Amino acid sequence: MTSGFETTEAARSARGEYDAPRSGPTERGAGMLAFAGVMLAILGILNVIYGIAAISNSDFYVGHTRFIFNSLNGWGWVITIIGAAQVAAALSILRQTGWGRWLGVATAALNSIAQLLFIPSYPFASLALFAVDIVVIYALVAYGARRAPA
């Protein structure tokens, strides 16, 4: 016996009076894609800042380091260019473009290699950025495929 004062969400939904609000994408992995886009933007901004610091020969990095391929100034340019590409990839991922996923994977892969080669000048930050790059690659590869409309 019902009293007519049922206010539960299930009762209202059963009577057709109430539908639960739906916001945002409901597909599997949408949160991971947003996470990857935001983290890629953060990585890109940090790389641009670190690259500018390396180009300007500031005292931000470990002094008298020897690099395998180039000088600190050269690696600064490499990191700055990768950072700018990462920001572009992050914006395209957040806009949900198809090519943004692959640009994100490519820039994160290039940045992970560059960060491993950049370890002599800034060890802990390089390893932290490397780890975030790996998580971003996982998120984009595992959850980035376009879903067919249901």
Side-chain angles (χ1 to χ4, degrees):
M1 178 175 183
T2 61
S3 62
F5 292 106
E6 292 179 359
T7 58
T8 65
E9 186 176 313
R12 284 185 276 171
S13 180
R15 291 191 306 255
E17 296 175 2
Y18 177 77
D19 285 331
R22 294 182 179 97
S23 62
T26 58
E27 69 183 39
R28 181 176 168 264
M32 281 298 282
L33 288 177
F35 171 79
V38 170
M39 291 308 294
L40 203 58
I42 292 170
L43 283 169
I45 292 168
L46 284 175
N47 279 334
V48 168
I49 291 170
Y50 292 159
I52 291 171
I55 292 167
S56 66
N57 292 324
S58 66
D59 294 330
F60 185 70
Y61 295 103
V62 176
H64 306 295
T65 56
R66 296 178 52 90
F67 293 95
I68 297 172
F69 293 115
N70 210 334
S71 66
L72 181 62
N73 193 330
W75 275 113
W77 282 108
V78 169
I79 296 296
T80 302
I81 292 168
I82 291 174
Q86 283 180 317
V87 170
L91 292 175
S92 66
I93 288 168
L94 294 174
R95 291 190 56 172
Q96 298 177 354
T97 62
W99 58 271
R101 169 189 179 206
W102 295 112
L103 182 61
V105 169
T107 58
L110 284 174
N111 190 50
S112 64
I113 294 167
Q115 291 300 329
L116 288 178
L117 294 173
F118 206 59
I119 286 176
S121 63
Y122 207 50
F124 295 117
S126 293
L127 290 175
L129 293 176
F130 171 78
V132 174
D133 280 323
I134 299 304
V135 173
V136 166
I137 291 171
Y138 168 75
L140 292 175
V141 170
Y143 298 106
R146 288 185 176 246
R147 307 285 194 264

Short mmCIF file of all heavy atoms in Angstrom, two decimals, residues 9-77:
data_model
loop_
_atom_site.label_atom_id
_atom_site.label_comp_id
_atom_site.label_asym_id
_atom_site.label_seq_id
_atom_site.Cartn_x
_atom_site.Cartn_y
_atom_site.Cartn_z
N GLU A 9 13.93 8.31 -5.60
CA GLU A 9 14.26 8.48 -7.00
C GLU A 9 13.72 7.33 -7.84
O GLU A 9 13.21 7.53 -8.94
CB GLU A 9 15.78 8.58 -7.13
CG GLU A 9 16.25 8.90 -8.52
CD GLU A 9 17.76 9.09 -8.56
OE1 GLU A 9 18.31 9.81 -7.72
OE2 GLU A 9 18.37 8.49 -9.46
N ALA A 10 13.78 6.12 -7.31
CA ALA A 10 13.30 4.95 -8.05
C ALA A 10 11.79 5.03 -8.27
O ALA A 10 11.28 4.70 -9.34
CB ALA A 10 13.66 3.67 -7.30
N ALA A 11 11.06 5.48 -7.25
CA ALA A 11 9.61 5.58 -7.38
C ALA A 11 9.23 6.65 -8.39
O ALA A 11 8.33 6.46 -9.21
CB ALA A 11 8.98 5.89 -6.02
N ARG A 12 9.90 7.78 -8.37
CA ARG A 12 9.61 8.84 -9.33
C ARG A 12 9.97 8.40 -10.74
O ARG A 12 9.27 8.72 -11.70
CB ARG A 12 10.34 10.12 -8.96
CG ARG A 12 9.68 10.83 -7.78
CD ARG A 12 10.36 12.13 -7.55
NE ARG A 12 11.52 11.82 -6.72
CZ ARG A 12 12.49 12.67 -6.42
NH1 ARG A 12 12.46 13.88 -6.91
NH2 ARG A 12 13.48 12.32 -5.67
N SER A 13 11.07 7.69 -10.86
CA SER A 13 11.48 7.22 -12.18
C SER A 13 10.50 6.19 -12.72
O SER A 13 10.19 6.18 -13.90
CB SER A 13 12.89 6.64 -12.10
OG SER A 13 13.29 6.18 -13.36
N ALA A 14 9.99 5.31 -11.84
CA ALA A 14 9.02 4.29 -12.26
C ALA A 14 7.73 4.93 -12.74
O ALA A 14 7.08 4.43 -13.66
CB ALA A 14 8.75 3.33 -11.12
N ARG A 15 7.34 6.04 -12.15
CA ARG A 15 6.12 6.72 -12.57
C ARG A 15 6.37 7.63 -13.77
O ARG A 15 5.44 8.23 -14.30
CB ARG A 15 5.58 7.56 -11.40
CG ARG A 15 5.03 6.72 -10.28
CD ARG A 15 4.28 7.58 -9.29
NE ARG A 15 5.03 8.69 -8.79
CZ ARG A 15 5.59 8.79 -7.56
NH1 ARG A 15 5.47 7.78 -6.74
NH2 ARG A 15 6.25 9.86 -7.20
N GLY A 16 7.64 7.78 -14.18
CA GLY A 16 7.94 8.62 -15.33
C GLY A 16 8.02 10.09 -15.00
O GLY A 16 8.00 10.93 -15.88
N GLU A 17 8.10 10.41 -13.73
CA GLU A 17 8.12 11.81 -13.31
C GLU A 17 9.53 12.38 -13.24
O GLU A 17 9.70 13.59 -13.20
CB GLU A 17 7.47 11.96 -11.93
CG GLU A 17 6.02 11.60 -11.90
CD GLU A 17 5.46 11.64 -10.49
OE1 GLU A 17 6.22 11.99 -9.57
OE2 GLU A 17 4.29 11.32 -10.33
N TYR A 18 10.49 11.53 -13.16
CA TYR A 18 11.84 12.02 -12.89
C TYR A 18 12.85 11.18 -13.62
O TYR A 18 12.79 9.96 -13.58
CB TYR A 18 12.10 11.94 -11.38
CG TYR A 18 13.48 12.36 -10.97
CD1 TYR A 18 13.84 13.69 -10.92
CD2 TYR A 18 14.43 11.41 -10.64
CE1 TYR A 18 15.10 14.08 -10.54
CE2 TYR A 18 15.70 11.79 -10.26
CZ TYR A 18 16.03 13.12 -10.21
OH TYR A 18 17.28 13.49 -9.84
N ASP A 19 13.73 11.82 -14.30
CA ASP A 19 14.89 11.14 -14.90
C ASP A 19 16.13 11.71 -14.26
O ASP A 19 16.26 12.93 -14.12
CB ASP A 19 14.94 11.36 -16.41
CG ASP A 19 13.89 10.52 -17.14
OD1 ASP A 19 13.55 9.45 -16.61
OD2 ASP A 19 13.43 10.96 -18.20
N ALA A 20 17.02 10.86 -13.88
CA ALA A 20 18.27 11.31 -13.27
C ALA A 20 19.05 12.15 -14.27
O ALA A 20 19.08 11.83 -15.46
CB ALA A 20 19.11 10.12 -12.82
N PRO A 21 19.63 13.24 -13.81
CA PRO A 21 20.39 14.08 -14.75
C PRO A 21 21.61 13.34 -15.28
O PRO A 21 22.28 12.63 -14.55
CB PRO A 21 20.79 15.28 -13.90
CG PRO A 21 20.74 14.80 -12.50
CD PRO A 21 19.68 13.74 -12.45
N ARG A 22 21.86 13.53 -16.55
CA ARG A 22 23.03 12.92 -17.17
C ARG A 22 23.94 14.04 -17.62
O ARG A 22 23.51 14.94 -18.34
CB ARG A 22 22.61 12.07 -18.36
CG ARG A 22 21.80 10.87 -17.95
CD ARG A 22 21.44 10.03 -19.16
NE ARG A 22 20.70 8.88 -18.75
CZ ARG A 22 19.39 8.80 -18.77
NH1 ARG A 22 18.67 9.81 -19.18
NH2 ARG A 22 18.78 7.71 -18.37
N SER A 23 25.18 13.96 -17.21
CA SER A 23 26.12 14.99 -17.62
C SER A 23 27.41 14.35 -18.08
O SER A 23 27.89 13.41 -17.48
CB SER A 23 26.42 15.95 -16.46
OG SER A 23 27.02 15.23 -15.40
N GLY A 24 27.93 14.86 -19.18
CA GLY A 24 29.21 14.40 -19.67
C GLY A 24 29.13 13.07 -20.38
O GLY A 24 28.09 12.42 -20.42
N PRO A 25 30.24 12.66 -20.95
CA PRO A 25 30.27 11.39 -21.68
C PRO A 25 30.17 10.22 -20.72
O PRO A 25 30.67 10.25 -19.62
CB PRO A 25 31.62 11.42 -22.39
CG PRO A 25 32.44 12.39 -21.63
CD PRO A 25 31.49 13.37 -21.00
N THR A 26 29.48 9.21 -21.16
CA THR A 26 29.31 8.02 -20.32
C THR A 26 30.11 6.84 -20.82
O THR A 26 30.02 5.78 -20.25
CB THR A 26 27.82 7.64 -20.27
OG1 THR A 26 27.37 7.40 -21.59
CG2 THR A 26 26.99 8.72 -19.61
N GLU A 27 30.86 7.01 -21.88
CA GLU A 27 31.59 5.88 -22.41
C GLU A 27 32.77 5.52 -21.50
O GLU A 27 33.28 6.34 -20.76
CB GLU A 27 32.06 6.14 -23.83
CG GLU A 27 33.13 7.19 -23.94
CD GLU A 27 33.50 7.46 -25.37
OE1 GLU A 27 32.61 7.48 -26.22
OE2 GLU A 27 34.69 7.65 -25.62
N ARG A 28 33.14 4.27 -21.60
CA ARG A 28 34.22 3.75 -20.76
C ARG A 28 35.53 4.45 -21.08
O ARG A 28 35.93 4.57 -22.23
CB ARG A 28 34.35 2.25 -21.04
CG ARG A 28 35.42 1.58 -20.23
CD ARG A 28 35.37 0.09 -20.53
NE ARG A 28 36.54 -0.55 -19.99
CZ ARG A 28 37.64 -0.82 -20.69
NH1 ARG A 28 37.67 -0.51 -21.96
NH2 ARG A 28 38.66 -1.41 -20.14
N GLY A 29 36.21 4.93 -20.07
CA GLY A 29 37.52 5.53 -20.25
C GLY A 29 37.52 7.02 -20.53
O GLY A 29 38.58 7.59 -20.78
N ALA A 30 36.37 7.66 -20.50
CA ALA A 30 36.33 9.11 -20.78
C ALA A 30 37.12 9.88 -19.73
O ALA A 30 37.78 10.87 -20.05
CB ALA A 30 34.88 9.59 -20.83
N GLY A 31 37.07 9.42 -18.49
CA GLY A 31 37.83 10.07 -17.44
C GLY A 31 39.33 9.93 -17.63
O GLY A 31 40.09 10.87 -17.38
N MET A 32 39.76 8.77 -18.10
CA MET A 32 41.18 8.56 -18.35
C MET A 32 41.67 9.42 -19.51
O MET A 32 42.80 9.91 -19.50
CB MET A 32 41.48 7.09 -18.64
CG MET A 32 41.55 6.22 -17.41
SD MET A 32 42.86 6.69 -16.27
CE MET A 32 44.28 6.02 -17.08
N LEU A 33 40.83 9.63 -20.51
CA LEU A 33 41.22 10.49 -21.62
C LEU A 33 41.34 11.94 -21.17
O LEU A 33 42.26 12.65 -21.57
CB LEU A 33 40.23 10.36 -22.77
CG LEU A 33 40.28 9.06 -23.54
CD1 LEU A 33 39.20 9.03 -24.61
CD2 LEU A 33 41.65 8.87 -24.16
N ALA A 34 40.41 12.37 -20.33
CA ALA A 34 40.51 13.73 -19.79
C ALA A 34 41.76 13.86 -18.92
O ALA A 34 42.48 14.87 -18.99
CB ALA A 34 39.25 14.07 -18.99
N PHE A 35 42.04 12.84 -18.12
CA PHE A 35 43.25 12.83 -17.30
C PHE A 35 44.49 12.92 -18.18
O PHE A 35 45.41 13.69 -17.90
CB PHE A 35 43.29 11.55 -16.46
CG PHE A 35 44.58 11.34 -15.74
CD1 PHE A 35 44.87 12.03 -14.58
CD2 PHE A 35 45.52 10.44 -16.23
CE1 PHE A 35 46.07 11.83 -13.92
CE2 PHE A 35 46.71 10.24 -15.57
CZ PHE A 35 46.99 10.94 -14.40
N ALA A 36 44.52 12.15 -19.26
CA ALA A 36 45.68 12.16 -20.16
C ALA A 36 45.85 13.53 -20.80
O ALA A 36 46.97 14.03 -20.92
CB ALA A 36 45.53 11.09 -21.24
N GLY A 37 44.75 14.15 -21.20
CA GLY A 37 44.83 15.48 -21.80
C GLY A 37 45.35 16.52 -20.83
O GLY A 37 46.22 17.33 -21.17
N VAL A 38 44.85 16.49 -19.61
CA VAL A 38 45.30 17.47 -18.60
C VAL A 38 46.76 17.22 -18.23
O VAL A 38 47.55 18.17 -18.13
CB VAL A 38 44.38 17.41 -17.36
CG1 VAL A 38 44.96 18.20 -16.21
CG2 VAL A 38 42.99 17.91 -17.71
N MET A 39 47.13 15.97 -18.04
CA MET A 39 48.53 15.67 -17.68
C MET A 39 49.48 16.01 -18.82
O MET A 39 50.59 16.49 -18.58
CB MET A 39 48.68 14.19 -17.29
CG MET A 39 48.01 13.84 -15.99
SD MET A 39 48.45 14.91 -14.61
CE MET A 39 50.16 14.53 -14.39
N LEU A 40 49.05 15.81 -20.04
CA LEU A 40 49.88 16.17 -21.19
C LEU A 40 50.06 17.68 -21.26
O LEU A 40 51.14 18.17 -21.61
CB LEU A 40 49.27 15.61 -22.47
CG LEU A 40 50.21 15.40 -23.65
CD1 LEU A 40 51.35 14.47 -23.27
CD2 LEU A 40 49.45 14.83 -24.82
N ALA A 41 49.02 18.43 -20.93
CA ALA A 41 49.14 19.89 -20.89
C ALA A 41 50.12 20.32 -19.80
O ALA A 41 50.96 21.21 -20.02
CB ALA A 41 47.77 20.52 -20.66
N ILE A 42 50.02 19.70 -18.63
CA ILE A 42 50.95 20.03 -17.54
C ILE A 42 52.38 19.68 -17.94
O ILE A 42 53.32 20.46 -17.71
CB ILE A 42 50.54 19.31 -16.24
CG1 ILE A 42 49.22 19.89 -15.73
CG2 ILE A 42 51.62 19.41 -15.19
CD1 ILE A 42 48.60 19.12 -14.59
N LEU A 43 52.57 18.50 -18.54
CA LEU A 43 53.91 18.10 -19.00
C LEU A 43 54.45 19.10 -20.02
O LEU A 43 55.63 19.48 -19.97
CB LEU A 43 53.86 16.71 -19.64
CG LEU A 43 53.78 15.52 -18.72
CD1 LEU A 43 53.48 14.26 -19.52
CD2 LEU A 43 55.06 15.36 -17.93
N GLY A 44 53.61 19.49 -20.95
CA GLY A 44 54.04 20.43 -21.98
C GLY A 44 54.45 21.77 -21.40
O GLY A 44 55.48 22.34 -21.78
N ILE A 45 53.66 22.29 -20.47
CA ILE A 45 53.99 23.58 -19.85
C ILE A 45 55.28 23.48 -19.05
O ILE A 45 56.15 24.36 -19.13
CB ILE A 45 52.82 24.06 -18.98
CG1 ILE A 45 51.63 24.43 -19.88
CG2 ILE A 45 53.22 25.23 -18.11
CD1 ILE A 45 50.33 24.65 -19.14
N LEU A 46 55.44 22.39 -18.30
CA LEU A 46 56.68 22.20 -17.54
C LEU A 46 57.88 22.07 -18.48
O LEU A 46 58.95 22.62 -18.20
CB LEU A 46 56.58 20.97 -16.64
CG LEU A 46 55.74 21.12 -15.39
CD1 LEU A 46 55.63 19.79 -14.66
CD2 LEU A 46 56.33 22.17 -14.47
N ASN A 47 57.71 21.35 -19.59
CA ASN A 47 58.82 21.21 -20.53
C ASN A 47 59.20 22.54 -21.16
O ASN A 47 60.38 22.81 -21.37
CB ASN A 47 58.47 20.19 -21.61
CG ASN A 47 58.68 18.77 -21.14
OD1 ASN A 47 59.49 18.52 -20.26
ND2 ASN A 47 57.95 17.86 -21.73
N VAL A 48 58.22 23.37 -21.47
CA VAL A 48 58.53 24.69 -22.02
C VAL A 48 59.30 25.52 -20.98
O VAL A 48 60.30 26.16 -21.30
CB VAL A 48 57.24 25.41 -22.49
CG1 VAL A 48 57.51 26.87 -22.78
CG2 VAL A 48 56.68 24.72 -23.72
N ILE A 49 58.86 25.49 -19.73
CA ILE A 49 59.55 26.24 -18.67
C ILE A 49 60.97 25.71 -18.47
O ILE A 49 61.94 26.48 -18.41
CB ILE A 49 58.75 26.18 -17.36
CG1 ILE A 49 57.45 26.98 -17.50
CG2 ILE A 49 59.58 26.70 -16.19
CD1 ILE A 49 56.48 26.78 -16.36
N TYR A 50 61.11 24.37 -18.37
CA TYR A 50 62.44 23.78 -18.19
C TYR A 50 63.33 24.03 -19.40
O TYR A 50 64.53 24.24 -19.27
CB TYR A 50 62.34 22.28 -17.92
CG TYR A 50 61.71 21.91 -16.60
CD1 TYR A 50 61.17 20.66 -16.39
CD2 TYR A 50 61.65 22.83 -15.55
CE1 TYR A 50 60.59 20.31 -15.18
CE2 TYR A 50 61.07 22.48 -14.34
CZ TYR A 50 60.54 21.22 -14.16
OH TYR A 50 59.98 20.89 -12.97
N GLY A 51 62.74 23.99 -20.58
CA GLY A 51 63.53 24.24 -21.79
C GLY A 51 64.04 25.66 -21.86
O GLY A 51 65.19 25.90 -22.22
N ILE A 52 63.19 26.62 -21.51
CA ILE A 52 63.63 28.02 -21.49
C ILE A 52 64.72 28.22 -20.45
O ILE A 52 65.70 28.95 -20.69
CB ILE A 52 62.43 28.96 -21.25
CG1 ILE A 52 61.52 28.93 -22.48
CG2 ILE A 52 62.87 30.37 -20.94
CD1 ILE A 52 60.19 29.64 -22.28
N ALA A 53 64.59 27.56 -19.31
CA ALA A 53 65.63 27.66 -18.28
C ALA A 53 66.95 27.07 -18.78
O ALA A 53 68.02 27.60 -18.49
CB ALA A 53 65.19 26.95 -17.01
N ALA A 54 66.89 26.00 -19.55
CA ALA A 54 68.11 25.38 -20.08
C ALA A 54 68.73 26.25 -21.17
O ALA A 54 69.95 26.37 -21.26
CB ALA A 54 67.82 23.99 -20.61
N ILE A 55 67.89 26.86 -22.01
CA ILE A 55 68.40 27.71 -23.08
C ILE A 55 69.10 28.94 -22.52
O ILE A 55 70.13 29.37 -23.03
CB ILE A 55 67.25 28.12 -24.03
CG1 ILE A 55 66.74 26.89 -24.79
CG2 ILE A 55 67.69 29.20 -25.01
CD1 ILE A 55 65.43 27.11 -25.50
N SER A 56 68.56 29.47 -21.44
CA SER A 56 69.12 30.70 -20.87
C SER A 56 70.33 30.45 -19.96
O SER A 56 70.83 31.37 -19.35
CB SER A 56 68.04 31.45 -20.09
OG SER A 56 67.66 30.69 -18.96
N ASN A 57 70.78 29.19 -19.89
CA ASN A 57 71.93 28.81 -19.07
C ASN A 57 71.80 29.27 -17.62
O ASN A 57 72.74 29.77 -17.02
CB ASN A 57 73.23 29.37 -19.67
CG ASN A 57 73.55 28.71 -20.98
OD1 ASN A 57 73.31 27.52 -21.17
ND2 ASN A 57 74.09 29.48 -21.92
N SER A 58 70.62 29.10 -17.06
CA SER A 58 70.41 29.51 -15.67
C SER A 58 71.05 28.50 -14.72
O SER A 58 71.50 27.43 -15.12
CB SER A 58 68.92 29.62 -15.39
OG SER A 58 68.31 28.35 -15.48
N ASP A 59 71.07 28.83 -13.46
CA ASP A 59 71.66 27.95 -12.45
C ASP A 59 70.63 26.97 -11.90
O ASP A 59 70.78 26.45 -10.81
CB ASP A 59 72.22 28.80 -11.30
CG ASP A 59 73.40 29.63 -11.75
OD1 ASP A 59 74.12 29.20 -12.66
OD2 ASP A 59 73.59 30.73 -11.18
N PHE A 60 69.61 26.72 -12.67
CA PHE A 60 68.52 25.85 -12.27
C PHE A 60 68.93 24.38 -12.30
O PHE A 60 68.43 23.58 -11.55
CB PHE A 60 67.35 26.12 -13.20
CG PHE A 60 66.09 25.40 -12.87
CD1 PHE A 60 65.36 25.75 -11.75
CD2 PHE A 60 65.63 24.38 -13.67
CE1 PHE A 60 64.19 25.09 -11.45
CE2 PHE A 60 64.46 23.72 -13.37
CZ PHE A 60 63.74 24.08 -12.26
N TYR A 61 69.84 24.04 -13.18
CA TYR A 61 70.24 22.65 -13.39
C TYR A 61 71.56 22.35 -12.71
O TYR A 61 72.31 23.23 -12.33
CB TYR A 61 70.34 22.36 -14.89
CG TYR A 61 69.02 22.47 -15.59
CD1 TYR A 61 68.70 23.57 -16.36
CD2 TYR A 61 68.08 21.47 -15.46
CE1 TYR A 61 67.47 23.67 -16.99
CE2 TYR A 61 66.85 21.55 -16.09
CZ TYR A 61 66.56 22.66 -16.84
OH TYR A 61 65.35 22.75 -17.46
N VAL A 62 71.86 21.06 -12.60
CA VAL A 62 73.11 20.60 -12.02
C VAL A 62 74.27 21.12 -12.86
O VAL A 62 74.26 20.99 -14.09
CB VAL A 62 73.14 19.06 -11.94
CG1 VAL A 62 74.47 18.56 -11.43
CG2 VAL A 62 72.00 18.55 -11.08
N GLY A 63 75.24 21.71 -12.22
CA GLY A 63 76.36 22.30 -12.95
C GLY A 63 77.34 21.26 -13.49
O GLY A 63 77.48 20.17 -12.94
N HIS A 64 78.00 21.60 -14.57
CA HIS A 64 79.08 20.80 -15.17
C HIS A 64 78.62 19.39 -15.55
O HIS A 64 79.35 18.42 -15.37
CB HIS A 64 80.29 20.72 -14.25
CG HIS A 64 80.78 22.06 -13.82
ND1 HIS A 64 81.32 22.97 -14.69
CD2 HIS A 64 80.78 22.65 -12.60
CE1 HIS A 64 81.65 24.06 -14.04
NE2 HIS A 64 81.32 23.90 -12.76
N THR A 65 77.42 19.27 -16.04
CA THR A 65 76.97 17.96 -16.48
C THR A 65 77.41 17.71 -17.91
O THR A 65 77.56 18.63 -18.69
CB THR A 65 75.42 17.85 -16.40
OG1 THR A 65 74.85 18.90 -17.16
CG2 THR A 65 74.94 17.92 -14.98
N ARG A 66 77.64 16.45 -18.21
CA ARG A 66 78.03 16.06 -19.56
C ARG A 66 76.87 15.29 -20.18
O ARG A 66 76.32 14.39 -19.57
CB ARG A 66 79.29 15.21 -19.51
CG ARG A 66 80.48 15.97 -18.97
CD ARG A 66 81.71 15.08 -18.88
NE ARG A 66 82.01 14.39 -20.12
CZ ARG A 66 82.80 14.85 -21.10
NH1 ARG A 66 83.36 16.03 -20.95
NH2 ARG A 66 83.04 14.14 -22.17
N PHE A 67 76.52 15.65 -21.39
CA PHE A 67 75.42 15.00 -22.09
C PHE A 67 75.98 14.10 -23.18
O PHE A 67 77.07 14.31 -23.69
CB PHE A 67 74.48 16.04 -22.71
CG PHE A 67 73.74 16.84 -21.68
CD1 PHE A 67 74.22 18.06 -21.26
CD2 PHE A 67 72.58 16.35 -21.13
CE1 PHE A 67 73.55 18.79 -20.30
CE2 PHE A 67 71.90 17.07 -20.17
CZ PHE A 67 72.38 18.30 -19.76
N ILE A 68 75.19 13.12 -23.56
CA ILE A 68 75.62 12.16 -24.57
C ILE A 68 75.65 12.81 -25.95
O ILE A 68 76.60 12.64 -26.71
CB ILE A 68 74.69 10.93 -24.57
CG1 ILE A 68 74.78 10.23 -23.23
CG2 ILE A 68 75.03 9.98 -25.70
CD1 ILE A 68 73.77 9.12 -23.05
N PHE A 69 74.62 13.56 -26.30
CA PHE A 69 74.49 14.06 -27.66
C PHE A 69 74.79 15.54 -27.83
O PHE A 69 75.25 15.95 -28.88
CB PHE A 69 73.07 13.80 -28.19
CG PHE A 69 72.78 12.35 -28.39
CD1 PHE A 69 71.82 11.72 -27.63
CD2 PHE A 69 73.47 11.60 -29.33
CE1 PHE A 69 71.56 10.37 -27.81
CE2 PHE A 69 73.21 10.26 -29.51
CZ PHE A 69 72.25 9.65 -28.74
N ASN A 70 74.46 16.36 -26.86
CA ASN A 70 74.51 17.80 -27.08
C ASN A 70 74.78 18.50 -25.76
O ASN A 70 74.97 17.87 -24.74
CB ASN A 70 73.17 18.26 -27.68
CG ASN A 70 73.31 19.46 -28.57
OD1 ASN A 70 74.23 20.24 -28.42
ND2 ASN A 70 72.38 19.61 -29.48
N SER A 71 74.76 19.81 -25.78
CA SER A 71 74.96 20.60 -24.57
C SER A 71 73.61 20.87 -23.91
O SER A 71 72.55 20.53 -24.43
CB SER A 71 75.63 21.92 -24.93
OG SER A 71 74.76 22.70 -25.72
N LEU A 72 73.66 21.53 -22.76
CA LEU A 72 72.43 21.90 -22.05
C LEU A 72 71.57 22.82 -22.91
O LEU A 72 70.34 22.70 -22.93
CB LEU A 72 72.78 22.58 -20.72
CG LEU A 72 71.60 23.00 -19.84
CD1 LEU A 72 70.78 21.79 -19.42
CD2 LEU A 72 72.11 23.74 -18.61
N ASN A 73 72.21 23.71 -23.65
CA ASN A 73 71.47 24.62 -24.52
C ASN A 73 70.73 23.85 -25.61
O ASN A 73 69.57 24.13 -25.90
CB ASN A 73 72.45 25.63 -25.14
CG ASN A 73 71.75 26.79 -25.79
OD1 ASN A 73 70.64 26.66 -26.28
ND2 ASN A 73 72.41 27.93 -25.80
N GLY A 74 71.37 22.88 -26.21
CA GLY A 74 70.73 22.07 -27.25
C GLY A 74 69.57 21.26 -26.71
O GLY A 74 68.51 21.17 -27.33
N TRP A 75 69.75 20.67 -25.52
CA TRP A 75 68.66 19.91 -24.92
C TRP A 75 67.52 20.84 -24.51
O TRP A 75 66.36 20.43 -24.51
CB TRP A 75 69.15 19.11 -23.72
CG TRP A 75 69.71 17.81 -24.15
CD1 TRP A 75 71.01 17.42 -24.07
CD2 TRP A 75 69.02 16.74 -24.76
NE1 TRP A 75 71.16 16.17 -24.61
CE2 TRP A 75 69.94 15.73 -25.03
CE3 TRP A 75 67.69 16.53 -25.12
CZ2 TRP A 75 69.59 14.53 -25.64
CZ3 TRP A 75 67.35 15.33 -25.73
CH2 TRP A 75 68.29 14.35 -25.97
N GLY A 76 67.83 22.08 -24.18
CA GLY A 76 66.78 23.04 -23.87
C GLY A 76 65.86 23.27 -25.05
O GLY A 76 64.64 23.34 -24.90
N TRP A 77 66.45 23.37 -26.25
CA TRP A 77 65.64 23.55 -27.45
C TRP A 77 64.80 22.31 -27.73
O TRP A 77 63.63 22.42 -28.11
CB TRP A 77 66.51 23.87 -28.65
CG TRP A 77 66.94 25.30 -28.66
CD1 TRP A 77 68.18 25.79 -28.40
CD2 TRP A 77 66.10 26.43 -28.92
NE1 TRP A 77 68.18 27.16 -28.48
CE2 TRP A 77 66.91 27.59 -28.80
CE3 TRP A 77 64.77 26.59 -29.23
CZ2 TRP A 77 66.42 28.86 -28.99
CZ3 TRP A 77 64.27 27.87 -29.43
CH2 TRP A 77 65.09 28.99 -29.31
#
